[in-house]
């Protein structure tokens, strides 16, 4: 009774018990990775508490286990509250050794004075709370390393401002060593029959025993360290949660009126999240530096301009610049300042009166933004969110095979910031993107009197990158292994005395900005005859490959055998196409794979292998797409000819009434989309 669940763990890599405490730390600091209804947790205080000889609790020790980042500083500041809580809490539990109700493992060792670690956290719900707003959910987690347990004590504040333990929702996570490499992780609740589930901070006990327990067991033996910082490590998670919900509610209507071809939900909520982060970051900066006026900004490569629109609306003066105007710009109104212009890194594109430069997926401008910020003014800061990999002169070339390409590129952009004299900070955003690590330069490593020296240092570094891209020198410039002071010494010793400022107006004459008119290179602009020939050639290759695969299906009591052909790798398919065809496909993004995926009716490309699509096995998607992107199946039905009806030796695998494509010209319907376009033109 009281056992919620247990999971067997086999530790072949000597990860335990250390791995167990790392897993507990994830659940304490980042509960949202398991419980998707939470936005995160704010660590209010963390410290060491002691049990006396008889298991009685005493006040916290002076040492406070304050972690790094914003929440760690908050934890250190809350040591006094932790002490007050500890004195209140232990008196509410049963007296005796290790005052915990059975079947929980008591705190402390037999007959000895034991130390415990206590963590006070506030759980932050992801969604807006239902009216009336519920108070924040606080928990006191008590870690007993000696016994391998962590006990979670939910807290409720009474009318007198004192915290009371909500005993019905106490639970404990236990680590038990069975023998050799065999361990177990368990979750125990002393009062399971009284457990109260609010569906947010406290899901049902079955969820703890299945979902949470399986994740804790998995995390406990994982020894793969993360390449990146924790999410939102530089700002308050609690403040982020509140501001994000407010902005999301404020700008949610943008999803319904999004005029671009891009996914509205992804781009709207991503920019809302980035704006939230910047607003909190800038608020903290104003407090630290004693500013009252809100920061100004310039967003270089602003794209759809939504980030600029939000920041302008929230009181920050600034503008966005992009080489290409977007349709949505006309919807924002005159208060949103957007400019269609080409940015060439040079003396004519500096921003001396701007507080912050922003590079949100700024592509070829990304490595230049720290340079432009450094040369604009001593007080100019920057925020970049790297996505596509560009060097100063063009596409970025990998140099270290031991790192992922993304990690290597982030290190390069960070190194640019170091060379430019910034203290570069890294953080991970909460956005719907795989590229969500941002780099921030808001403080300088040098006094204002050394600006000229830093400028020379920057010039040397840019020239070294350009030179390395053309020829290979015997002496490689390994900036990744030097700090900015080492680079500065090289600048003093190697630059000629008569070399002063950057030469000319353009810092790199070979720089290629984005084209004003976006070229369509996704195989959509290829001639229809060429595409049809490739599709037919590949389909025949699959159908004639040995051994042939066929599938049976029952229609009207008759068994029909339909040839599905063989599956081949993309490489094998490419080997059967002529050189001219391959050369033409190479000029398109994605090449052969993109062309085959574009012809969704005929092919299925899975894990690098090409298959003939069998429409009898297609299942309707369960996901509800946004209104603007929803597939208009009724309007598109029978508006295109069925490729299988025309070209497959066995015809279509579906009967005419079930196939979404027309079996012959007699079934063809005019697309409703085309009709609408004609009506608009009239």
């Amino acid at each position: 009774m009281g056992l919620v669940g247990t999971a067997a763990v086999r530790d072949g890599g000597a990860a335990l018990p250390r791995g167990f405490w790392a897993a507990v730390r994830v659940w304490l600091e980042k509960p949202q990775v398991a419980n998707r209804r939470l936005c995160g947790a704010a660590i209010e205080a963390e410290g060491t508490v002691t049990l006396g000889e008889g298991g009685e609790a005493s006040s916290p020790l002076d040492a406070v286990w304050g972690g790094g980042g914003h929440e760690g500083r908050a934890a250190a500041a809350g040591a006094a509250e932790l002490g007050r809580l500890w004195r209140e809490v232990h008196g509410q539990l049963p007296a005796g050794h290790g005052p915990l109700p059975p079947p929980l493992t008591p705190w402390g060792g037999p007959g000895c004075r034991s130390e415990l670690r206590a963590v006070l956290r506030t759980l932050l719900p992801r969604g807006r709370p239902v009216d009336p707003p519920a108070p924040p959910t606080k928990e006191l987690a008590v870690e007993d390393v000696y016994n391998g347990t962590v006990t979670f004590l939910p807290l409720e504040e009474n009318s007198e401002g004192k915290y009371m333990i909500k005993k019905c929702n106490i639970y404990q996570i236990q680590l038990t060593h069975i023998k050799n490499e065999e361990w177990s992780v368990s979750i125990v609740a002393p009062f399971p029959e009284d457990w109260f589930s609010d569906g947010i901070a406290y899901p049902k006990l079955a969820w703890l025993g299945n979902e949470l327990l399986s994740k804790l067991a998995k995390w406990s033996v994982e020894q793969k360290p993360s390449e990146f910082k924790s999410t939102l490590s530089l700002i308050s998670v609690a403040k982020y949660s509140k501001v994000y919900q407010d902005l999301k509610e404020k700008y949610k209507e943008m999803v319904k009126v999004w005029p671009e071809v891009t996914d509205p939900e992804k781009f709207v909520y991503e920019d809302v999240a980035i704006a939230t982060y910047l607003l909190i970051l800038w608020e903290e900066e104003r407090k630290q530096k004693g500013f009252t006026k809100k920061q100004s900004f310039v967003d270089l490569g602003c794209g759809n301009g939504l980030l600029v629109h939000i920041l302008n609306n929230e009181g920050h003066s600034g503008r966005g610049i992009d080489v290409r105007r977007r349709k949505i710009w006309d919807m924002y109104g005159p208060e949103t300042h957007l400019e269609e212009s080409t940015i060439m890194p040079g003396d004519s594109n500096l921003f001396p009166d701007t507080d912050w430069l922003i590079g949100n997926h700024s592509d070829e401008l990304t490595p230049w933004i720290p340079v432009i910020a450094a040369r604009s003014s001593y007080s100019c800061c920057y925020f970049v969110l790297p996505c596509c990999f560009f060097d100063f002169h063009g596409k970025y070339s990998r140099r270290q095979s031991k790192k992922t390409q993304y990690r290597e590129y982030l290190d390069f952009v960070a190194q640019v910031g170091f060379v430019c004299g910034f203290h570069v900070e890294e953080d991970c955003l909460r956005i719907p993107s795989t590229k969500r690590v941002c780099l921030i330069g808001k403080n300088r490593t040098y006094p204002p009197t050394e600006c000229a020296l830093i400028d020379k240092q920057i010039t040397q570094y840019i020239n070294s990158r350009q030179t390395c891209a053309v020829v290979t020198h015997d002496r490689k410039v390994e900036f990744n292994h030097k700090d900015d002071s080492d680079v500065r010494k090289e600048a003093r010793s190697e630059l000629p005395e008569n070399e002063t400022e950057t030469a000319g107006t353009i810092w790199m004459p070979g720089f290629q900005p984005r084209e004003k008119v976006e070229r369509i290179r996704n195989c959509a602009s290829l001639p229809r005859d060429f595409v049809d020939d490739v599709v037919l050639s590949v389909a025949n290759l699959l159908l004639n490959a040995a051994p042939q695969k066929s599938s049976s299906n029952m229609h009207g009591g008759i068994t029909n055998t339909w040839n599905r052909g063989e599956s081949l790798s993309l490489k094998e398919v490419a080997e059967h196409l002529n050189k001219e065809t391959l050369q033409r496909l190479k000029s398109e993004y994605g090449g052969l794979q993109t062309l085959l995926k574009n012809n969704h009716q005929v092919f299925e490309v899975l894990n690098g292998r090409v298959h003939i699509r069998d429409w009898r096995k297609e299942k309707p998607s369960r996901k509800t797409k946004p209104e603007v992107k929803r597939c208009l199946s009724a309007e598109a039905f029978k508006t295109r000819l069925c490729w299988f009806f025309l070209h497959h030796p066995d015809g279509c695998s579906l009967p005419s009434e079930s196939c979404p494509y027309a079996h012959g010209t007699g079934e063809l319907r005019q697309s409703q989309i085309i009709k609408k376009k004609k009506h608009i033109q009239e």
Side-chain angles (χ1 to χ4, degrees):
M1 183 177 178
L3 179 65
V4 178
T6 186
V9 178
R10 189 171 185 83
D11 179 24
L16 296 172
R18 187 187 303 117
F20 170 75
W21 294 110
V24 168
R25 200 71 202 173
V26 173
W27 175 236
L28 280 171
E29 296 181 348
K30 298 184 284 186
Q32 73 278 5
V33 299
N35 185 351
R36 304 301 295 172
R37 295 186 179 183
L38 294 176
C39 179
I43 304 299
E44 307 292 348
E46 184 170 2
T48 304
V49 296
T50 60
L51 283 174
E53 297 293 338
E56 295 299 321
S58 62
S59 300
L61 301 178
D62 292 335
V64 175
W65 296 73
H70 190 281
E71 304 300 345
R73 294 191 294 272
E81 183 183 2
L82 184 64
R84 179 177 63 83
L85 270 176
W86 182 245
R87 288 188 294 271
E88 290 179 6
V89 163
H90 86 271
Q92 301 174 32
L93 293 169
H97 175 69
L100 287 177
L104 303 187
T105 300
W107 288 326
C112 65
R113 184 180 180 87
S114 300
E115 288 185 359
L116 306 173
R117 290 168 59 185
V119 180
L120 176 64
R121 69 170 181 171
T122 300
L123 298 173
L124 308 171
R126 182 176 294 276
R128 184 175 297 278
V130 180
D131 292 333
T137 302
K138 286 187 179 289
E139 278 186 335
L140 186 65
V142 183
E143 300 178 358
D144 183 356
V145 177
Y146 180 87
N147 289 302
T149 66
V150 55
T151 307
F152 290 84
L153 306 175
L155 303 175
E156 289 182 315
E157 191 173 8
N158 62 19
S159 58
E160 299 176 359
K162 292 185 177 182
Y163 284 105
M164 307 297 293
I165 297 177
K166 188 176 181 179
K167 295 182 181 180
C168 63
N169 279 22
I170 294 175
Y171 68 97
Q172 186 180 76
I173 303 172
Q174 305 172 344
L175 175 68
T176 306
H177 187 204
I178 301 172
K179 63 177 181 178
N180 300 329
E181 298 178 353
E182 297 179 18
W183 299 70
S184 70
V185 178
S186 306
I187 296 180
V188 178
F191 311 111
E193 64 280 358
D194 297 327
W195 181 270
F196 173 75
S197 173
D198 61 4
I200 302 175
Y202 292 98
K204 294 180 179 179
L205 278 176
W207 182 90
L208 268 72
N210 295 318
E211 298 296 325
L212 177 59
L213 185 61
S214 64
K215 285 181 168 58
L216 288 170
K218 177 184 175 184
W219 296 338
S220 294
V221 291
E222 277 185 344
Q223 299 193 47
K224 184 176 70 173
S226 174
E227 288 185 302
F228 311 110
K229 290 284 187 73
S230 298
T231 306
L232 307 180
S233 62
L234 300 180
I235 64 172
S236 165
V237 177
K239 190 174 293 183
Y240 176 89
S241 177
K242 181 181 184 306
V243 175
Y244 176 75
Q245 293 300 333
D246 291 341
L247 293 183
K248 186 178 179 182
E249 183 72 17
K250 188 174 182 179
Y251 296 101
K252 66 180 181 181
E253 295 300 318
M254 294 296 301
V255 174
K256 300 178 181 179
V257 297
W258 193 257
E260 306 291 336
V261 296
T262 50
D263 183 356
E265 286 198 342
K266 177 188 184 301
F267 283 89
V268 171
Y269 296 136
E270 179 172 320
D271 283 352
V272 166
I274 296 171
T276 302
Y277 187 91
L278 286 172
L279 290 172
I280 296 172
L281 184 73
W282 291 346
E283 182 183 354
E284 290 294 323
E285 184 191 36
R286 292 196 300 275
K287 290 179 181 178
Q288 292 170 5
K289 297 182 178 180
F291 296 159
T292 54
K293 183 181 178 182
K294 290 188 175 182
Q295 294 89 334
S296 60
F297 70 92
V298 174
D299 187 351
L300 300 176
C302 64
N304 58 53
L306 180 57
L307 179 60
V308 178
H309 175 65
I310 296 173
L311 294 176
N312 283 163
N313 275 3
E314 300 306 314
H316 289 269
S317 62
R319 56 195 169 114
I321 305 174
D322 200 280
V323 69
R324 189 168 61 256
R325 185 179 185 84
R326 305 300 201 275
K327 298 175 185 176
I328 197 171
W329 286 15
D330 297 326
M331 297 176 58
Y332 294 135
E335 296 81 11
T336 301
H337 306 288
L338 300 168
E339 300 175 14
E340 184 179 15
S341 178
T342 300
I343 295 291
M344 295 290 290
D347 296 344
S348 59
N349 281 310
L350 296 177
F351 307 93
D353 300 323
T354 299
D355 297 319
W356 281 77
L357 298 184
I358 299 172
N360 175 18
H361 299 314
S362 46
D363 294 348
E364 73 280 356
L365 287 174
T366 297
W368 286 105
I369 287 176
V371 178
I372 298 172
R375 288 176 168 171
S376 290
S377 71
Y378 184 75
S379 61
C380 187
C381 310
Y382 72 87
F383 167 96
V384 290
L385 184 62
C387 180
C388 300
F389 307 143
F390 282 88
D391 208 322
F392 293 110
H393 48 76
K395 287 287 187 179
Y396 178 82
S397 298
R398 295 197 65 181
R399 301 184 182 186
Q400 297 186 24
S401 58
K402 293 183 179 180
K403 299 180 181 179
T404 63
Q405 186 178 18
Y406 184 41
R407 180 69 263 174
E408 182 183 341
Y409 185 67
L410 289 171
D411 290 344
F412 159 64
V413 178
Q415 187 61 47
V416 175
F418 294 140
V419 171
C420 293
F422 288 96
H423 281 297
V424 181
E425 297 178 280
E426 179 179 304
D427 206 353
C428 196
L429 305 184
R430 280 190 191 163
I431 56 175
S433 172
T434 56
K435 305 291 194 307
R436 54 196 187 99
V437 176
C438 67
L439 298 168
I440 299 166
K442 61 178 180 178
N443 296 306
R444 304 298 175 103
T445 61
Y446 62 94
T449 54
E450 291 191 9
C451 285
L453 179 63
I454 294 298
D455 194 64
K456 293 178 182 180
Q457 177 176 298
I458 295 170
T459 301
Q460 179 194 22
Y461 183 63
I462 293 173
N463 289 340
S464 74
R465 299 292 303 185
Q466 190 177 26
T467 304
C468 290
V470 180
V471 294
T472 303
H473 291 282
D474 293 333
R475 183 179 67 83
K476 294 182 180 179
V477 183
E478 295 289 351
F479 282 96
N480 282 338
H481 301 288
K482 302 176 182 178
D483 61 24
D484 55 291
S485 60
D486 293 331
V487 180
R488 200 172 304 162
K489 289 175 183 176
E490 287 192 2
R492 287 193 180 98
S493 61
E494 296 184 12
L495 283 176
E497 292 183 3
N498 59 353
E499 184 176 349
T500 55
E501 299 185 6
T502 53
T505 302
I506 303 299
W507 299 334
M508 182 171 283
F511 174 78
Q512 290 293 326
R514 221 178 305 178
E515 295 177 358
K516 186 174 179 63
V517 179
E518 188 174 16
R519 293 176 60 189
I520 300 175
R521 293 177 58 189
N522 61 356
C523 298
S525 60
L526 290 172
R528 188 70 248 175
D529 291 344
F530 173 79
V531 174
D532 289 344
D533 288 342
V534 174
V535 170
L536 190 59
S537 298
V538 175
N540 285 332
L541 176 65
L542 298 175
L543 290 171
N544 296 325
Q548 287 189 350
K549 291 182 179 179
S550 61
S551 61
S552 300
N553 201 8
M554 293 289 293
H555 287 298
I558 302 173
T559 302
N560 296 324
T561 301
W562 190 77
N563 180 15
R564 292 193 295 122
E566 185 61 83
S567 73
L568 296 174
S569 68
L570 285 164
K571 182 180 179 182
E572 290 172 323
V573 172
E575 289 172 350
H576 286 81
L577 299 178
N578 61 56
K579 292 183 179 179
E580 292 180 1
T581 299
L582 289 175
Q583 193 64 36
R584 198 166 185 178
L585 288 172
K586 280 183 179 179
S587 64
E588 302 289 317
Y589 290 128
L592 175 62
Q593 180 172 230
T594 298
L595 185 143
L596 297 177
K597 285 186 174 182
N598 287 353
N599 285 271
H600 170 268
Q601 182 191 165
V602 185
F603 302 110
E604 188 176 26
V605 183
L606 294 172
N607 301 320
R609 298 193 69 83
V610 186
H611 310 255
I612 293 288
R613 185 175 294 278
D614 188 346
W615 281 89
R616 293 170 299 181
K617 298 183 178 181
E618 292 297 307
K619 296 180 180 179
S621 176
R622 294 182 180 180
K623 292 184 178 180
T624 303
K625 297 181 179 179
E627 186 70 28
V628 72
K629 298 290 288 182
R630 188 171 296 159
C631 181
L632 303 175
S633 56
E635 294 184 357
F637 191 74
K638 301 290 186 183
T639 57
R640 293 177 59 191
L641 287 169
C642 176
W643 185 93
F644 295 103
F645 179 81
L646 296 175
H647 300 287
H648 194 283
D650 298 331
C652 182
S653 62
L654 295 176
S656 174
E657 60 271 15
S658 302
C659 182
Y661 300 95
H663 285 199
T665 55
E667 292 186 1
L668 270 177
R669 298 170 58 248
Q670 186 178 9
S671 172
Q672 297 297 310
I673 299 172
I674 296 175
K675 286 182 179 180
K676 288 178 182 177
K677 287 183 178 179
K678 286 183 178 179
H679 178 72
I680 292 170
Q681 290 173 354
E682 292 172 359

